[in-house]
């Protein structure tokens, strides 16, 4: 997913694009060569004809409409407490944060596009991924909720 600060918040330079690898799916691109999800671009609309509402790839859509770096910061704030206590290692925390974003952001994009509320997104996540009462479920729930809160905070305000 997006590791490039030039993407989110720079939608005026975003192009909708297509890839041979995914016929019928509309992606986002900032270069015209690769999609946000890493596929080769075979065709891209000009920037002035492109809008986030046209994106159908959930990963590209999440990259376009959310600030994933904010999500990383929120998740890091949670995992750093566990690292400091010695409960988890830094390498695990880093990969877990990224996996959480990769799992949650595309699904949040799809759900928001379908008119779902942030409360529904958070509830569904907690019921599916963090439904237990054990320490692992609480950890997963805290990191996931931090990611969801950051996505809500950074969501593209003009609709999609």
């Amino acid at each position: 997913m997006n590791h490039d600060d030039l993407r989110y918040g720079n939608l005026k330079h975003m192009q909708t694009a297509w890839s041979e690898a995914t016929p019928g799916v509309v992606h986002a691109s900032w270069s015209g060569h690769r999609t946000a999800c890493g596929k080769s671009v075979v065709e891209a609309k000009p920037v002035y004809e492109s809008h986030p509402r046209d994106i159908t790839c959930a990963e590209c859509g999440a990259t376009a409409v959310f600030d994933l770096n904010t999500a990383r910061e929120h998740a890091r704030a949670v995992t750093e407490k566990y690292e400091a206590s010695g409960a988890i290692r830094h390498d695990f925390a880093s990969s877990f944060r990224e996996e959480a974003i990769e799992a949650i952001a595309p699904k949040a994009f799809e759900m928001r596009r379908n008119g779902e509320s942030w409360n529904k997104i958070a509830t569904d996540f907690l019921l599916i991924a963090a439904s237990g009462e054990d320490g692992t479920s609480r950890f997963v729930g805290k990191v996931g909720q931090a990611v969801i809160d950051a996505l809500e905070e950074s969501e593209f305000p003009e609709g999609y």
Side-chain angles (χ1 to χ4, degrees), residues 65-66 100 103-130 141 144-145 147-152 155 160:
V65 303
F66 303 127
I104 296 169
K107 188 64 180 167
F109 171 78
E110 290 175 345
M111 291 178 77
R112 291 295 291 160
R113 199 179 163 120
N114 291 329
E116 299 292 348
S117 70
W118 283 105
N119 187 47
K120 169 95 168 103
I121 292 167
T123 301
D124 284 1
F125 169 77
L126 292 172
L127 289 173
I128 294 166
Q145 189 61 55
V147 169
I148 291 167
D149 289 346
L151 298 178
E152 179 180 10
E155 184 176 25
Y160 50 94

Side-chain angles (χ1 to χ4, degrees), residues 79 91-101 136 139-141 143-144:
T79 61
D91 58 333
F92 171 79
S94 181
S95 67
F96 185 79
R97 290 189 302 262
E98 202 57 38
E99 288 172 13
I101 292 165
T136 301
F139 172 72
V140 169
V143 172

